[in-house]
Amino acid sequence: MDKVIETIYSIEERAQRIMETTSNEKNALKSEYDAKKSAYEKDVTDATDKKISELGCLLKKQLDDEYNQIKKQAQDTIASLNQTYETKHAEMAKEIFKQITEV
């Protein structure tokens, strides 16, 4: 009977050690998983921030280019209108006066 009790006690001790070892391994794996997860999230966040920054710079450049193009077109149009006014304003005034008086 003592032999059976010793055997059962020995089995219980081994089971307890197995449970402790398993718990320690579980905690170690959880820590490793958390570290890898944090590193992955940091990498993804850094890559996303970098891409957003690159896209922001690209968009700013495109907007600046478009603004400069529209500004140049407006300046060219104003210069053309001024030139037309300078060369033909007397003729245009006569035409407008003629149209007013004919009515």
Side-chain angles (χ1 to χ4, degrees), residues 66-78:
E66 186 176 342
Y67 168 77
N68 289 332
Q69 181 183 6
I70 291 171
K71 182 179 176 183
K72 184 178 180 333
Q73 288 174 348
Q75 290 171 340
D76 291 346
T77 301
I78 291 171

Side-chain angles (χ1 to χ4, degrees), residues 4 8-9 31 35 50 55 59 64 70 78 82 92 101:
V4 172
I8 291 174
Y9 183 74
S31 295
K50 181 180 177 186
L55 291 174
L59 180 60
D64 288 346
I70 291 171
I78 291 171
N82 280 336
M92 291 170 28
T101 57

Side-chain angles (χ1 to χ4, degrees), residues 39-82:
Y40 174 76
E41 287 175 347
K42 183 182 180 310
D43 289 345
V44 168
T45 300
D46 291 347
T48 302
D49 290 345
K50 181 180 177 186
K51 189 66 173 178
I52 288 171
S53 178
E54 289 172 1
L55 291 174
C57 289
L58 179 63
L59 180 60
K60 183 180 180 330
K61 184 184 179 313
Q62 288 175 345
L63 289 174
D64 288 346
D65 291 347
E66 186 176 342
Y67 168 77
N68 289 332
Q69 181 183 6
I70 291 171
K71 182 179 176 183
K72 184 178 180 333
Q73 288 174 348
Q75 290 171 340
D76 291 346
T77 301
I78 291 171
S80 174
L81 290 173
N82 280 336

